[in-house]
Amino acid sequence: MRKNFAVIGDPIEHSMSPIMHNDLFQFYGLDAEMKKIHIKKDFLQSGLSELRDMNMAGFNVTVPHKQAIIPFLDELDPLSKAIGAVNTVVCENGRWIGYNTDGEGYLKGLLKQLPDIKQRRTLIIGSGGAARGIYFTLAHYGVEQVDICNRTISKAKALKEACPYPVKTNIMEIALAEKTLGEYGLIIQTTSIGMSPKIDASPIQMSNVMEGAFVSDIIYNPLETKILKDAKAKGAITQNGIDMFVYQGALAFEKWQGVFPDTTRMRQNVLTQLGGLTC
């Protein structure tokens, strides 16, 4: 019997998850299929009700539902409960169990290129579901200082206060972050600003970024966002969201199928579909 999987979000057209997972299903000889399902922000409850009727084996959750979905789940694993956000749901015997593979997936991809992150003063841009996963994971890993800038200061403060792990954190508005950008060795962009189709937008100006700083954007479509282009022009080293996307997807696949998949195949497949190389 075919197993049904999905990825939900608003918007959802940009998601590459079905292409990546459907290729893995075929590669491992599994009778399964993943589809994109658009659930608008204001219709999450009714959308999830319809999803339950579709007999799902599991699904991914993307913006803006990573936090809002929690009340509709039957169980949370300890990490997703601490983070307060879910990006992967496993459906077992009618029960929906929430997990968060964002932070661990991001860290795995980051350490491939930047093994010295513990000593780098870090700035996170944004305070949504992905930011929570990354912030908590970096704090747990032992990064000494992780500051947060956000358009809504109260949300950034709430994120800092919710973190269960020791880490030095300053909260600031975007304007102040722009002025002090040169103090950071690692800058992580976690918002949806700059995502296709609004590729000319950027959440922060890169004018003061330090040469040699590492600027990471969790967006993977487009492969090079405006913030990465601007950072590269100032001599920064850049990373797009492909590594995080691949590793969080691999961890989700492992939870659904009990097998950690071939991440090299996953990466090549996504890049082929997007028509380019990572920056």
Side-chain angles (χ1 to χ4, degrees), residues 101-117 133-134 137-138 141 186-188 214-218 237-251 260 263-264 267 278-279:
T101 67
D102 278 335
E104 185 181 354
Y106 179 79
L107 182 61
K108 282 180 178 292
L110 183 64
L111 288 173
K112 286 178 57 180
Q113 299 191 46
L114 200 67
D116 65 340
I117 64 172
I134 292 170
T137 302
L138 293 181
Y141 184 71
L186 172 59
I187 299 165
I188 305 170
F214 194 91
V215 180
S216 175
D217 192 336
I218 69 169
I237 302 165
T238 61
Q239 176 195 45
N240 62 26
I242 289 290
D243 286 328
M244 176 183 177
F245 177 61
V246 165
Y247 278 103
Q248 65 81 23
L251 291 166
F260 191 83
T263 53
T264 299
R267 182 185 181 87
T278 51
C279 50

Side-chain angles (χ1 to χ4, degrees), residues 6-18 35-40 60-65 195-196 220-221:
V7 54
I8 67 169
D10 180 26
I12 198 60
E13 293 80 9
H14 67 283
S15 178
M16 300 288 292
S17 290
K35 297 180 179 179
K36 301 177 188 178
I37 297 180
H38 185 198
I39 299 180
K40 293 184 178 180
N60 282 142
V61 185
T62 187
V63 292
H65 303 316
M195 181 185 294
S196 180
Y220 62 86
N221 188 8

